[in-house]
Amino acid sequence: MTPPPIAGRSRDVVAATFVLVGTVFLPWAESGSVSRSGWSIVGSARRLGVVDSTFGELFAVGFFVLPIFAFAALTMFALDRPRLVAAASGLAVVATVVVAAAVIRSSLGPRWGLWLNVATACVDGFLTIRLWRSSPISRVLEE
Amino acid sequence: MAVVNVEEEAPDTRRRVLLAVGVLGLFAAGIFAAFAIGGSSETSAGAETPQGAYEQLFESLANEDLIGAAEILLPGERDSLIQPWFDMVEQYKRLEVLDPALDLSAVPGIDLEFSDLEFETTQISEDLMSVKLVGGTAVSSVDPMKLPLGPLVLDRLPEGTIPDEIETGIGSVDPLDLNQDNGLVAVRRDGRWYVSLWYTVAEAAREQGGLPLPDPSDRIRPRGESTAELAVEEFVRSSIDLDVRRLIELLPPGEADALHDYAPLFLDDVEAAGRETRNLMGDIGLEIDLVRLDLTSIPRGPDRIVQFNGGEILFTSDYVDVGFDVTDGKVTVDAVIAQDEVRFSLTIVDDCFEFEISDLDGEIQDLQRECASDVENMIEEFLGQEVFVGGLPEFDIFTEQPVIGIYTVERDGQWYVSPLGTLLDTQVEVLAVIDKDKLADLVDWFIVQAEENLAIL
């Protein structure tokens, strides 16, 4: 069986990354009877000083630049740079997974958007690794 | 003549469109991210108006939305109150005083509803606004059976102690009642209005005392020290000197903003009282000299805990001279009454203490030495078997020594002493080293003693 072309795999990764970014605006957790999106939770956490380490701040900023990662993946796809598509998508997956894990561990009640985000991150992560491994190393040198 | 390949042109066009969308998207996402990271006015905490701040607070309370309530609190007060409060709740859950499954974002058993709230605002100063609740209804309902108490409490309460009826209360504010005292204070910081606990307290005290508004130019400027240890040492020396102004200066900006603003209203009186006390001390020849203070500090997140390792302080007066010395864990208290030519000396090392009475030439007249274990045995012997059922329990319910000290915070490169932080951190740290099972045993022991004593009565 012939494996799908790299362009097709890149396209899948870009699509999954946009879906992943979309899920951060869905209800992630409940504070009382108020539902809050992942975006809103990270914003509140920064304003309330919950994020007080450099490591935490790095991921909070990484979370806010998620749309940049998605559009960067799209741009690299248009330029036919599959490894850079995978790199942008990988950063988006790592940023969301770390923040999602922090929200799951917090005392906030998780909501469906959070689980959808985790599931999307798993799919996107899988597609990203597959794309990274299938793009020949010569492409990297080329890029 | 160039040959146009129609089959290749379509993907190229699509690619160019994708590239354009990608680049434009990058630009838009960059602006979006910059606003989110920087915190635009739409996304920052606080409210646009003073009454908006209190409307948001009541709405958050009704929704049990802790994040919303926290975001509307004045940042300095929020930082000093919220996290220790969360930590304390976690410890009470661990000790099973509260339900270990308690989710603070949905506290069961309590329901609040507010409707038709009306506020009236009065300007206090440029950045302070009195927000008076002049109308509205509050409905509260408490279901005692659903309150998040833990097994340590529930398993030991006699049956029927907790009522199984839901208590409902309705309160309304009458706008015609001019004597009502519902004044709250909103504070403006960086253009946003926040709810303030301490400014509300300070303003209530000012109104009650019939004092004028504080003059902003008299505000006490916070002035910290270069290290956490120096801040605490300065705090101790200022306490000894009864220098209230310096004590207030050493309190952190944010947490003590209200005190810095309102202190000028009472500072003159307090300083006059301090001078009077010093005069009285002079009359009896009392002098206090802090000879040495050995302090070290350990980090607690971005803040530091300053711990006392040793020191020496002398109290001299016309009648008695007393010296306290702590060195390498050895505590020595010396008191000399020159008039009676007698010297008392108390030394505490590890768990033992030695009490000595001698004359001024050093000739010992009386010497007593006891250790903690001896004292415990004495209590067991004389009291335990007869008075307490089953003897004395294990009072040492701690798994280890709590790491406590004076809480200090850094603001703009200077270190300040946080009394509230010290109080809350000490509570959290002490709770953190309590052994859950030993605490339960101790509670059971007290219950047995109470029941026995009640039976005797």
Side-chain angles (χ1 to χ4, degrees), chain B residues 28-44:
Chain B
I31 294 172
F32 188 56
F35 270 89
I37 293 166
S40 66
S41 59
E42 286 77 20
T43 57
S44 32

Side-chain angles (χ1 to χ4, degrees), chain A residues 25 30-34 36 39 44 46-48 61 64-65 67-68 71-72 74-75 77-80 107-109, chain B residues 15 18-19 21-23 25-26 29-30 32-33 36-37 43-45 63-68 70-71 78 103 105:
Chain A
F25 298 98
E30 274 181 338
S31 172
S33 56
V34 177
R36 287 177 183 272
W39 192 269
S44 295
R46 287 183 80 228
R47 285 193 293 274
L48 296 176
V61 170
F64 284 132
V65 298
I68 293 182
F71 281 106
L74 179 67
T75 308
F77 171 64
L79 293 172
D80 193 22
S107 59
L108 298 169
Chain B
R15 201 173 286 276
L18 282 177
L19 189 59
V21 170
V23 171
L26 273 173
F32 188 56
I37 293 166
T43 57
S44 32
N63 291 330
E64 296 174 35
D65 177 13
L66 288 176
I67 293 178
E71 287 206 72
R78 171 210 301 157
D103 178 358
S105 62

Side-chain angles (χ1 to χ4, degrees), chain B residues 220-279:
Chain B
I220 293 182
R221 307 278 164 210
R223 188 161 57 92
E225 290 286 336
S226 57
T227 67
E229 290 87 341
L230 280 176
V232 172
E233 180 164 349
E234 179 71 359
F235 199 84
V236 173
R237 290 192 185 279
S238 303
S239 302
I240 292 168
D241 295 342
L242 302 174
D243 185 350
V244 182
R245 176 178 286 273
R246 184 72 188 111
L247 286 174
I248 296 173
E249 284 175 350
L250 282 163
L251 301 181
E255 177 185 326
D257 275 354
L259 188 59
H260 290 143
D261 281 344
Y262 280 78
L265 294 179
F266 61 81
L267 194 60
D268 286 347
D269 292 340
V270 176
E271 285 184 323
R275 280 192 296 275
E276 202 172 313
T277 308
R278 275 196 295 274
N279 289 341

Side-chain angles (χ1 to χ4, degrees), chain B residues 381-394:
Chain B
E381 198 173 320
F382 291 106
L383 299 174
Q385 303 305 323
E386 294 169 16
V387 178
F388 301 112
V389 179
L392 285 168
E394 189 175 358

